[in-house]
């Protein structure tokens, strides 16, 4: 999971020069055959090199149980190949056909409230249904057999966005699979009772058979049951991926297998745990508006995806050329956004830039979602921007295969802390894990400091500074690892609600921040979250919201960087730093937001000797990313920025060698 690891990675099966791939999901089955010829002509004009095919084609490929119709797909594959366009072929299992759900309604997912998710949209299948699995694998086998040697085939695309709509299924199939998963994890029911703390509220189990998914209950369901159900649900979809992959590897061992992640969009999948399951990492990203940090969030997503890929090239499987269709109001992108968004992904290691989708649909739920070829046709600003992007990607071909250069600062990203810190029955339900992490990222960008977003299992030791916002779940080994990091000269910065529980969501006793208390040299007896609208001013001019702590400084060497000036904690420490040999451990006890954090970042990372790699006049205005000997300079503003190499237009990206 890190640049130094040895996980084998495979890129596309393709002969020829290294290049950056460019393309989209292609859904030719939505169009008459005559349109396909126009499609490939326009694809060539735009510089398309690859398309993802057959993602939602199950009903077309298998119109009746066990009866296949491959003629149209043969035709599409041949046409694309004849035009020099490669195919990332989907296994087509994302959306089961009506005959299957009619015959087997028992494959339909069930919500926590007991409602069935009926057919009519997509992804209406239970991840643990043996019936669904059997039918899906039969289709995968048929496709792999038919297209194994097709010269257009360069990669397999398993299903699509696994878990996007069906990750949490509370059906009877899920109950059976959950019990088996728990039995595997705990061995016996006594160990489960212990882990789940079932002495509370008379929940003690005498047999695994008594256990259910956390279905709608009278009050807060058992927190560890909730956590295990989240782990199980991520694992259940990973099992589905593995099952399809096994067939693909058996029949087409030379074709790499991927599936598109949604690293920022989908909290339920623990992608750090999925990353090694694919031959190359793929990700989908959509800009969600309105959001003043929208492009920082895009960068964060690209950054994390690149780290999941071990710093090596990854595949941007989907983003949008302009508006999406699934927000309350869907605004188009502004001039420059399309290129900036795409090239930011490239800056963090994407060697393929693809979109949903090639041709904008005429019918169906996504007809107002932008595409490479919009309703207006090739005579359109979108198509011209697309073509211009294709040209730039060809120019950037020398980047292909280059590895990202690590930063000195790592932001630790931990899926289990994300899950648990936002569960119910907590000191406050206002904690937003992802937003806190993003605020630190923005604060570093505002200071012109490059940072990597690293999963907890990654190579944390490679960094001079580690920022671990809301690192809530800290098992003993992680506490030991962070202690070693600091004792060997590393600088750790953590925040409120960190170090609180172990892997079973049991509180570390003796005072907060539990597992990190001694390392930080502070002790907190009670949490003191803030009510909405309440604030706490600090004596360094920044303002906290959401949370405060009543900190007692315990270790004499602890320096108080800032104190509370107002509110219940007035005069108490708000931000602390404990020097440990050459290293240090710092604690920020309140939510400062991106602006407040930007103001305190220098005092927290300055002592580590980390300085911006940008000249002072560019800091904050320009984002820097480094791939091998290429430096990406991304204009974060809507104003032109003067660079030594000339003016960088608003939202522009310059790649310098
Ligand atoms: C993705 C999905 C695509 C399309 C897209 C629209 O989640 O994989 O099929 O629906 O969203 O933004």
């Amino acid at each position: 999971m890190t640049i130094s690891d040895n996980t084998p990675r495979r890129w596309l099966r393709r002969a020829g020069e290294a290049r950056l791939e460019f393309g989209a999901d292609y859904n030719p089955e939505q169009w008459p055959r005559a349109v396909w010829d126009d499609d490939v002509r326009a694809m060539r004009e735009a510089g398309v090199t690859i398309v993802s095919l057959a993602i939602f084609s199950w009903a077309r490929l298998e119109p009746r149980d066990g009866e296949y119709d491959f003629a149209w797909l043969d035709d599409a594959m041949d046409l694309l190949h004849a035009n020099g366009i490669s195919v990332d072929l989907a296994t087509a299992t994302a959306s089961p056909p009506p005959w299957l759900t009619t015959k087997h309604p028992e494959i339909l997912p069930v919500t926590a409230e007991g409602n069935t998710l009926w057919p009519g949209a997509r992804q209406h299948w239970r991840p643990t249904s043996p019936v669904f699995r059997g039918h899906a694998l039969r289709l995968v086998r048929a496709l792999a057999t038919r297209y194994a040697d097709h010269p257009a085939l360069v990669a397999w695309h398993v299903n699509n966005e696994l878990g996007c709509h069906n990750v949490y299924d509370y059906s009877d199939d899920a109950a059976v699979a959950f019990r088996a998963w728990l039995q595997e994890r705990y061995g016996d029911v006594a160990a489960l009772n212990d882990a789940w703390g079932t002495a509370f509220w008379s929940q003690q189990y005498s047999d695994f058979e008594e256990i259910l998914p956390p279905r709608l209950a009278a009050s807060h369901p058992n927190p560890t049951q909730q956590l295990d159900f989240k782990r199980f649900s991520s694992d259940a979809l990973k099992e589905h991926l593995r099952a399809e992959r096994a067939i693909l590897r058996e029949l087409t061992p030379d074709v790499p297998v991927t599936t598109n992640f949604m690293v920022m969009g989908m909290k339920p999948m623990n992608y750090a745990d999925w990353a090694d399951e694919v031959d190359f990492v793929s990700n989908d990203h959509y800009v969600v508006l309105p959001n003043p940090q929208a492009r920082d969030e895009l960068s964060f997503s690209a950054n994390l995806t690149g780290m999941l890929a071990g710093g090596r090239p990854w595949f941007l499987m989907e983003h949008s050329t302009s508006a999406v269709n699934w927000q309350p109001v869907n605004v188009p992108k502004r001039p420059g956004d399309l290129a900036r968004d795409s090239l930011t992904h490239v800056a963090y290691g994407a060697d393929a830039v693809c979109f949903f989708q090639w041709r904008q649909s005429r019918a169906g739920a996504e007809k107002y979602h932008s595409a490479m070829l919009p309703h207006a046709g090739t005579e359109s600003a979108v198509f011209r921007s697309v073509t211009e992007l294709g040209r730039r990607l060809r120019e950037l071909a020398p980047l292909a295969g280059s590895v990202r250069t690590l930063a000195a600062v790592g932001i630790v990203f931990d899926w289990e802390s994300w899950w648990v810190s936002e569960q119910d029955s907590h000191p406050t339900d206002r904690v937003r894990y992802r937003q806190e992490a993003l605020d630190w990222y923005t604060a570093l960008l505002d200071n012109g400091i490059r940072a990597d977003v690293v999963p907890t299992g990654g190579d944390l030791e490679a960094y001079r500074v580690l920022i671990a916002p809301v690192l809530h779940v800290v098992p003993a080994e992680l506490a030991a690892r962070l202690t070693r990091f600091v004792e060997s000269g590393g600088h750790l910065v953590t925040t409120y609600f960190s170090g609180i529980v172990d892997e079973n969501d049991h509180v570390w006793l003796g005072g907060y921040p539990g597992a990190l208390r001694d390392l930080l040299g502070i002790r907190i007896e009670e949490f003191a979250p803030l009510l909405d609208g309440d604030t706490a001013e600090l004596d360094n001019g920044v303002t906290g919201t959401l949370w405060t702590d009543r900190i007692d400084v315990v270790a004499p060497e602890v320096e108080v960087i800032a104190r509370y000036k107002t509110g219940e904690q007035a005069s108490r420490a708000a931000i602390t730093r404990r020097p440990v040999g050459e290293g240090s451990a710092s604690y920020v006890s309140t939510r400062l937001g991106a602006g407040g954090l930007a103001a305190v970042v220098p005092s927290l990372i300055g002592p580590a000797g980390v300085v911006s790699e940008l000249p002072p006049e560019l800091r904050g205005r320009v984002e820097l990313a480094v791939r091998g000997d290429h430096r990406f300079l991304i204009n974060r503003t809507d104003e032109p920025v003067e660079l030594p190499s000339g003016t960088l237009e608003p939202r522009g990206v310059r790649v310098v060698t």
Side-chain angles (χ1 to χ4, degrees):
M1 226 179 353
T2 63
I3 290 182
S4 54
D5 79 4
N6 295 318
T7 314
R9 297 270 177 209
R10 293 190 295 160
W11 193 238
L12 310 179
R13 173 178 78 168
R14 193 175 65 75
E17 308 243 304
R19 66 184 186 198
L20 299 181
E21 304 290 335
F22 184 47
D25 289 8
Y26 181 38
N27 298 301
E29 67 272 42
Q30 295 177 14
W31 298 93
R33 176 62 180 83
V35 174
W36 303 6
D37 295 314
D38 293 344
D39 281 332
V40 288
R41 234 189 331 270
M43 283 180 192
R44 291 175 62 139
E45 192 184 331
V48 165
T49 64
I50 191 165
V51 293
S52 295
L53 202 58
I55 293 179
F56 297 107
S57 307
W58 192 342
R60 190 67 195 270
L61 289 168
E62 191 182 358
R64 278 165 295 278
D65 197 354
E67 255 179 58
Y68 297 104
D69 171 12
F70 290 123
W72 70 274
L73 188 56
D74 293 351
D75 189 8
M77 295 278 288
D78 293 349
L79 178 68
L80 289 160
H81 181 62
N83 284 276
I85 297 161
S86 314
V87 174
D88 164 54
L89 186 58
T91 57
T93 55
S95 197
W99 61 257
L100 179 53
T101 48
T102 305
K103 210 166 182 171
H104 294 289
E106 73 275 20
I107 73 168
L108 297 170
V110 178
T111 65
E113 298 79 14
N115 293 324
T116 297
L117 297 181
W118 295 99
R122 63 175 174 186
Q123 228 178 47
H124 38 277
W125 52 276
R126 299 178 184 176
T128 55
S129 159
V131 175
F132 175 80
R133 182 74 57 87
H135 280 87
L137 296 187
R138 189 177 67 174
L139 176 65
V140 175
R141 186 169 286 282
L143 274 164
T145 306
R146 182 145 191 116
Y147 296 106
D149 299 319
H150 198 288
L153 174 67
V154 296
W156 286 113
H157 180 119
V158 167
N159 200 278
N160 189 63
E161 288 192 342
L162 283 162
C164 183
H165 312 295
N166 63 349
V167 56
Y168 293 134
D169 163 46
Y170 299 80
S171 66
D172 290 343
D173 280 335
V176 170
F178 187 37
R179 288 176 199 132
W181 185 94
L182 291 167
Q183 195 136 21
E184 171 80 26
R185 182 175 173 91
Y186 294 109
D188 59 60
V189 82
L192 176 136
N193 279 316
D194 195 36
W196 284 20
T198 55
F200 181 82
W201 278 355
S202 180
Q203 293 173 351
Q204 185 168 312
Y205 296 97
S206 56
D207 195 291
F208 282 97
E209 288 307 306
E210 297 163 2
I211 299 172
L212 291 168
R215 292 178 177 160
L216 181 64
S219 177
H220 306 292
N222 181 302
T224 316
Q225 176 191 17
Q226 292 190 55
L227 170 58
D228 272 346
F229 189 67
K230 290 181 175 119
R231 290 175 172 140
F232 155 78
S233 299
S234 177
D235 279 1
L237 284 159
K238 191 173 72 178
E239 272 312 305
H240 184 86
L241 163 64
R242 286 181 173 167
E244 289 201 15
R245 189 191 61 194
I247 292 173
L248 299 169
R249 291 220 172 127
E250 172 200 329
L251 296 174
T252 58
D254 61 329
V255 181
V257 177
T258 194
T259 190
N260 41 347
F261 297 173
M262 304 154 273
V263 299
M264 281 292 89
M266 281 302 285
K267 173 179 165 190
M269 259 76 62
N270 183 343
Y271 289 121
D273 181 49
W274 284 44
D276 286 346
E277 302 290 333
V278 288
D279 289 313
F280 59 86
V281 167
S282 304
N283 195 47
D284 295 352
H285 182 270
Y286 290 92
V287 176
V288 177
L289 298 170
N291 174 3
Q293 287 167 278
R295 264 62 197 199
D296 292 349
E297 193 272 346
L298 183 153
S299 168
F300 188 101
S301 165
N303 192 323
L304 173 57
T305 307
M307 295 313 291
L308 293 173
R312 280 166 307 214
W314 55 277
F315 202 112
L316 177 65
M317 193 62 85
E318 290 181 23
H319 68 316
S320 69
T321 58
S322 192
V324 298
N325 66 306
W326 40 260
Q327 288 172 212
V329 179
N330 298 292
V331 294
K333 290 193 176 180
R334 298 162 306 171
D337 280 339
L338 170 60
R340 189 257 301 266
D341 292 353
S342 296
L343 294 176
T344 302
H345 289 291
V346 174
Y348 291 97
D351 267 8
V353 171
C354 291
F355 295 92
F356 174 82
Q357 61 176 331
W358 162 250
R359 183 185 279 276
Q360 188 169 10
S361 301
R362 271 192 88 184
E366 295 184 318
K367 58 182 174 297
Y368 298 121
H369 192 293
S370 62
M372 292 176 89
L373 185 54
H375 287 155
T378 52
E379 292 305 315
S380 59
V382 166
F383 191 71
R384 280 189 289 277
S385 307
V386 160
T387 305
E388 169 57 18
L389 176 62
R391 191 193 60 72
R392 272 197 92 177
L393 293 175
R394 280 195 296 284
E395 238 172 55
L396 292 173
L399 270 171
S402 64
V403 167
R404 151 127 167 243
T405 304
L406 283 185
V409 179
I411 296 180
V412 179
F413 197 84
D414 185 61
W415 261 269
E416 296 209 342
S417 290
W418 190 3
W419 294 345
V420 180
S421 67
E422 296 182 5
Q423 285 198 163
D424 57 57
S425 53
H426 276 189
T428 169
D429 68 0
R430 308 295 204 252
V431 171
R432 293 293 174 270
Y433 178 85
R434 199 184 87 122
Q435 184 61 42
E436 182 67 35
L438 178 60
D439 285 346
W440 281 91
Y441 193 70
T442 294
L444 291 164
L445 287 172
D446 287 348
N447 278 277
I449 306 275
R450 208 156 61 81
D452 295 336
V453 184
V454 214
T456 332
D459 187 8
L460 303 183
E461 290 69 18
Y463 294 91
R464 224 171 325 147
V465 176
L466 283 179
I467 297 175
V470 192
L471 187 64
H472 182 68
V473 180
V474 181
E477 317 79 74
L478 179 56
R481 206 173 148 207
L482 293 173
T483 303
R484 272 196 310 277
F485 169 77
V486 169
E487 286 171 350
S488 358
H491 299 267
L492 173 72
V493 180
T494 189
T495 74
Y496 63 93
F497 216 29
S498 294
I500 304 301
V501 296
D502 68 8
E503 63 277 22
N504 293 323
D505 195 18
H506 293 196
V507 172
W508 289 107
L509 301 180
Y512 314 123
L516 303 175
R517 186 177 64 232
D518 292 344
L519 183 59
L520 293 162
I522 58 173
R523 184 164 177 273
I524 296 158
E525 292 179 24
E526 270 191 289
F527 302 122
L530 295 178
L531 292 168
D532 291 348
D534 283 359
T535 57
E537 282 171 40
L538 274 58
D539 62 4
N540 60 355
V542 298
T543 302
T545 58
L546 183 102
W547 193 285
T548 60
D549 281 315
R550 287 180 198 156
I551 296 179
D552 287 317
V553 172
V554 173
E557 66 276 18
V558 168
E559 303 156 7
V560 176
I561 295 184
R563 288 183 186 278
Y564 287 105
K565 208 170 77 180
T566 62
E568 292 296 317
Q569 319 313 328
S571 86
R572 277 186 187 269
I575 304 178
T576 61
R577 180 174 181 276
R578 175 176 169 238
V580 182
E582 299 288 291
S584 68
S586 301
Y587 185 74
V588 179
S589 64
T590 182
R591 169 158 161 63
L592 295 176
L597 291 174
V600 303
V601 151
S603 62
L604 291 170
I605 69 170
V610 176
V611 286
S612 172
E613 297 157 273
L614 289 166
E617 67 278 9
L618 297 186
R619 293 178 193 165
R621 296 160 72 207
V622 166
E623 171 175 355
L624 170 71
V626 188
R627 278 186 75 170
D629 47 14
H630 293 84
R631 287 159 64 89
F632 284 72
L633 296 160
I634 304 164
N635 188 347
R636 296 175 74 216
T637 75
D638 293 331
E639 310 296 329
V641 172
E642 289 310 320
L643 299 178
S645 56
T647 306
L648 182 59
E649 63 280 13
R651 309 188 275 277
V653 179
R654 177 83 38 90
V655 186
V656 293
T657 315

